[in-house]
Amino acid sequence: MTAFKELGLEEALLQGIAALGFETPTPVQELVIPTALQTNEDLIALAQTGTGKTAAFGLPLLQRIDPAEKNVQALILCPTRELCVQVAKDLESYSQYAHHYKVVAVYGGASIETQVRKIKAGAQIIVATPGRLVDLLVRQVARLDKVSRIVLDEADEMLNMGFKDAVDMILEAVENRQSIWLFSATMPREVRAIASTYMRNPLELNVGQHNQINADIEHQYFVCHSADRYAALKRIVDATPGIYGLVFCRTRSDTKEIAEQMIRDGYNADALHGDLVQSDRDRVMQRFRERNLQLLIATDVAARGIDVSDISHVINYGLPDEIEVYTHRSGRTGRAGRKGISISIITPKFEEKIRQIERRTKSTFAKMTIPTGYEVCESQLFHIIQNIHDQEVQHAEIEPFLPRVYEALKDLSKEELIKRFASVEFNRFLSYYRNAPDINLRGSGKDRKNSRNDQAGSNGSMQRLFVNIGLMDGINKKDFLQLLIREFRVPKPAIGGIDIKKSYMHFDIEHTFSRDVRRGLEEFDINGRRVKVNEAKPMPEKFDKKAKDKKFGGKKAQGRKKAY
Ligand code: AMP
């Protein structure tokens, strides 16, 4: 593996990235940095967001700035104000031990006068949204005759957002530039057109497969009736305790509505969309970044600049029209080497669209079953148990209270005590999901099954099984799939969704194979523990005592604060 220092970067920049914790270059950095440091040729790099592309262009760009020259030497165009701010901030971080380069971010929605003042104070790099930069060009604020490099960041997205004319104007206006570096996640016709009009024999740097498919992202989809989409969203969130997610909606009004509904239902959620004033957007983003907000409901446009590297789930509340937009959305998770899950909640007519995305992006989508009320309660219960197990004890602080605590609980046996502790949180979900019907759409999509028996998770000829091992036993989805295929000779199409949690898992398998697989698995010992497999159970009768075929969500959860 190549080290950063072999790429030709100067010492001060190496120190800057070391301080950020970057140890080894990502593939796009390895490919772009040495070339961009040397050549004056135009470059095209196919790179998705999350692959480290900002440093790929930012580091060589900084190294090629003349610190003594106080005019604008480089322009970086980004599709959104959030991305502008982020890129400018990143450049400042990379160069914290280098010369004090003057980097100014300019974007709409903020005072143009302040931005003009900053540029006039000797900006060397301008990071701009195309629209605002055109305003500045018209006002003849900045001298651009010393601009030698222009970076088009997320070029496909800039064109998607209608910035083609502005980009054209800027590229025409900057006459003396030496090179254009174009970064794009995809290469649609419009981006090719920009390249052929303004770039001279560009060098194409393609990180290839690695950048095309982000192997760290797992794609899943859930099918339900349109009317059940919100209920499905809640179940998925409830069955994923600890989720830190971004939910994409198609329109501002959907975004507002879903966020309001989620807040009303007790979730730690908020909305990010274009109707918010900048200060509100900043506030929401800060809460999300600091993890004080667990779910951010956003439109595509508003979410463009979000650079949070540990988002666990992206949820598509409906699929976007453009496949590229799906790629951008899912690229918000699985960043910087972490694993992420991209979930789509769709109605049956969009299953074909899933196939299209699979073909175009060369990735596989797993069809999942929307968790039943029973499964939600089970996930939550084991999450609580795990939390109790891992709970750090503040011995000194709790010690003085313990005699009274022991006294108050002395009439309870260990088993009783465990039951009650576990019930504290469990009861909230239990009361909410007691009457929840199955909202999965099976088969053709017409044969919706709501009967209690279907809650077992049996999916047509599929059967859902529960296994008492999970991630903490060192098993992951890929290994488990291989085990089923290699060890038990189960053909891949007979295996449905595999959902591995920390201490247990569920998976769907065709009935024909389930008996042999169960028997086989139960012969395994993991860490001295015997593997146990059970049929995922329907709601127990008691659980279902008052079931009156009530529609999910009809009954408002009582005392339900945060649903995670
Ligand atoms: P980007 O694609 O530029 O938005 O970067 C995605 C994330 O990866 C950001 O949070 C960066 O800080 C981080 N990152 C970029 N390059 C590296 C690297 N070489 N090592 C570790 N993290 C990185």
Side-chain angles (χ1 to χ4, degrees):
M1 197 178 284
T2 320
F4 268 115
K5 64 170 182 286
E6 292 164 48
L7 302 181
L9 291 169
E10 63 190 29
E11 192 50 40
L13 290 175
L14 290 175
Q15 270 180 38
I17 51 176
L20 293 176
F22 296 6
E23 284 168 6
T24 45
T26 64
V28 69
Q29 291 163 356
E30 208 173 306
L31 197 67
V32 172
I33 294 174
T35 315
L37 280 173
Q38 307 270 335
T39 185
N40 281 333
E41 285 183 67
D42 289 338
L43 303 178
I44 293 183
L46 262 181
Q48 285 177 17
T49 156
T51 51
K53 66 180 169 50
T54 315
F57 66 74
L59 293 167
L61 192 78
L62 286 165
Q63 190 155 323
R64 300 191 74 176
I65 294 287
D66 175 0
E69 167 62 63
K70 299 298 179 201
N71 279 302
V72 185
Q73 298 170 57
L75 288 179
I76 301 171
L77 299 185
C78 305
T80 65
R81 48 190 166 190
E82 281 79 10
L83 195 58
C84 279
V85 172
Q86 187 62 46
V87 168
K89 217 169 86 207
D90 286 351
L91 295 186
E92 276 162 11
S93 306
Y94 306 152
S95 60
Q96 58 185 302
Y97 299 106
H99 307 281
H100 180 70
Y101 299 110
K102 253 193 139 26
V103 183
V104 179
V106 302
Y107 44 86
S111 154
I112 195 162
E113 279 74 28
T114 314
Q115 295 174 353
V116 168
R117 253 197 318 279
K118 285 189 182 157
I119 292 174
K120 289 195 163 155
Q124 292 164 308
I125 301 176
I126 295 182
V127 190
T129 48
R132 178 50 64 97
L133 189 64
V134 166
D135 290 346
L136 293 168
L137 290 182
V138 172
R139 291 184 182 213
Q140 299 192 313
V141 172
R143 274 184 60 190
L144 298 183
D145 54 331
K146 293 277 174 15
V147 170
S148 49
R149 249 160 287 283
I150 305 176
V151 179
L152 303 178
D153 188 13
E154 306 203 355
D156 49 354
E157 198 56 28
M158 271 195 291
L159 301 183
N160 266 344
M161 289 174 62
F163 282 131
K164 176 165 187 319
D165 292 345
V167 171
D168 279 338
M169 260 183 84
I170 295 163
L171 294 180
E172 272 159 30
V174 185
E175 288 163 349
N176 298 338
R177 52 109 187 153
Q178 281 170 353
S179 48
I180 298 176
W181 298 347
L182 184 151
F183 283 74
S184 198
T186 55
M187 270 296 150
R189 221 179 27 246
E190 298 78 4
V191 177
R192 287 262 163 234
I194 291 270
S196 60
T197 314
Y198 299 102
M199 299 172 81
R200 310 161 198 135
N201 292 328
L203 222 75
E204 293 207 16
L205 303 172
N206 189 350
V207 192
Q209 292 293 305
H210 200 91
N211 256 357
Q212 297 281 310
I213 314 167
N214 182 344
D216 289 331
I217 305 173
E218 190 183 314
H219 302 270
Q220 302 179 345
Y221 71 101
F222 296 81
V223 186
C224 64
H225 275 304
S226 175
D228 286 330
R229 264 199 312 172
Y230 179 66
L233 172 66
K234 291 209 297 190
R235 289 214 197 164
I236 293 164
V237 169
D238 286 347
T240 319
I243 185 172
Y244 177 45
L246 190 52
V247 181
F248 282 101
C249 297
R250 289 163 62 99
T251 63
R252 287 175 194 189
S253 63
D254 276 359
T255 307
K256 279 188 219 168
E257 203 180 299
I258 301 299
E260 276 164 19
Q261 232 170 326
M262 292 209 90
I263 295 166
R264 255 200 320 271
D265 286 342
Y267 293 84
N268 182 12
D270 212 337
L272 187 75
H273 52 75
D275 286 350
L276 297 176
V277 295
Q278 185 65 29
S279 55
D280 284 339
R281 292 162 63 126
D282 292 345
R283 191 182 43 75
V284 172
M285 266 320 296
Q286 184 163 352
R287 283 177 56 216
F288 187 57
R289 212 171 270 129
E290 289 169 354
R291 278 182 169 253
N292 289 326
L293 194 61
Q294 198 178 13
L295 293 167
L296 184 63
I297 325 293
T299 56
D300 291 296
V301 174
R304 289 303 300 133
I306 295 178
D307 175 49
V308 178
S309 49
D310 50 355
I311 290 174
S312 67
H313 291 71
V314 162
I315 301 182
N316 297 279
Y317 193 75
L319 284 174
D321 292 335
E322 308 279 329
I323 292 177
E324 283 75 20
V325 177
Y326 179 84
T327 311
H328 274 289
R329 286 181 176 184
S330 57
R332 300 280 141 194
T333 185
R335 292 163 78 96
R338 293 185 178 87
K339 300 274 175 214
I341 297 179
S342 174
I343 286 173
S344 302
I345 305 173
I346 60 165
T347 53
K349 70 172 188 220
F350 284 93
E351 281 199 76
E352 181 43 40
K353 181 104 190 182
I354 293 277
R355 303 281 92 80
Q356 275 177 25
I357 302 178
E358 283 185 321
R359 284 195 295 273
R360 279 272 292 280
T361 59
K362 300 199 172 48
S363 37
T364 315
F365 280 58
K367 183 172 182 176
M368 309 295 284
T369 10
I370 300 168
T372 59
Y374 181 80
E375 284 163 355
V376 169
C377 294
E378 189 177 45
S379 301
Q380 291 290 341
L381 178 62
F382 282 97
H383 182 65
I384 301 159
I385 300 302
Q386 197 64 47
N387 277 349
I388 294 178
H389 186 270
D390 299 345
Q391 186 62 49
E392 207 178 298
V393 177
Q394 305 294 331
H395 291 280
E397 283 85 349
I398 195 126
E399 212 68 53
F401 299 104
L402 287 180
R404 267 163 61 205
V405 174
Y406 293 142
E407 179 62 27
L409 299 174
K410 74 169 191 274
D411 56 326
L412 299 176
S413 67
K414 179 183 165 195
E415 283 69 28
E416 271 302 317
L417 210 65
I418 291 176
K419 235 187 271 179
R420 284 171 204 221
F421 268 100
S423 297
V424 174
E425 282 287 293
F426 182 63
N427 285 354
R428 285 199 296 126
F429 285 92
L430 189 62
S431 67
Y432 190 65
Y433 279 108
R434 181 168 273 131
N435 301 325
D438 183 4
I439 54 175
N440 285 288
L441 279 178
R442 322 280 191 193
S444 68
K446 293 196 183 77
D447 55 343
R448 185 178 181 195
K449 296 174 181 176
N450 261 344
S451 82
R452 188 55 58 192
N453 286 341
D454 292 325
Q455 290 211 342
S458 86
N459 189 359
S461 63
M462 300 292 254
Q463 178 170 36
R464 172 152 271 220
L465 297 178
F466 167 91
V467 191
N468 67 333
I469 53 167
L471 296 170
M472 60 190 252
D473 300 297
I475 183 128
N476 65 32
K477 204 162 173 169
K478 209 163 128 209
D479 295 343
F480 190 71
L481 188 67
Q482 286 309 319
L483 180 79
L484 295 180
I485 295 171
R486 296 234 175 92
E487 195 78 21
F488 303 118
R489 304 261 167 248
V490 183
K492 198 154 173 247
I495 306 165
I498 300 174
D499 186 15
I500 306 196
K501 301 279 198 268
K502 201 160 171 185
S503 57
Y504 67 97
M505 62 184 287
H506 283 111
F507 70 101
D508 292 327
I509 188 160
E510 260 181 31
H511 267 293
T512 351
F513 298 98
S514 74
R515 225 172 76 178
D516 286 350
V517 167
R518 277 181 72 166
R519 282 203 188 137
L521 280 172
E522 289 191 334
E523 281 171 16
F524 278 81
D525 264 347
I526 292 193
N527 301 333
R529 202 148 51 88
R530 176 50 56 109
V531 175
K532 282 221 167 75
V533 186
N534 291 312
E535 229 174 273
K537 289 195 201 68
M539 292 276 192
E541 276 305 308
K542 263 206 300 201
F543 208 87
D544 186 28
K545 232 174 13 208
K546 294 184 212 138
K548 278 194 210 115
D549 199 25
K550 215 182 257 175
K551 176 105 179 110
F552 167 84
K555 183 180 171 202
K556 196 145 173 94
Q558 281 149 14
R560 188 162 178 277
K561 298 190 302 288
K562 283 183 182 173
Y564 55 88

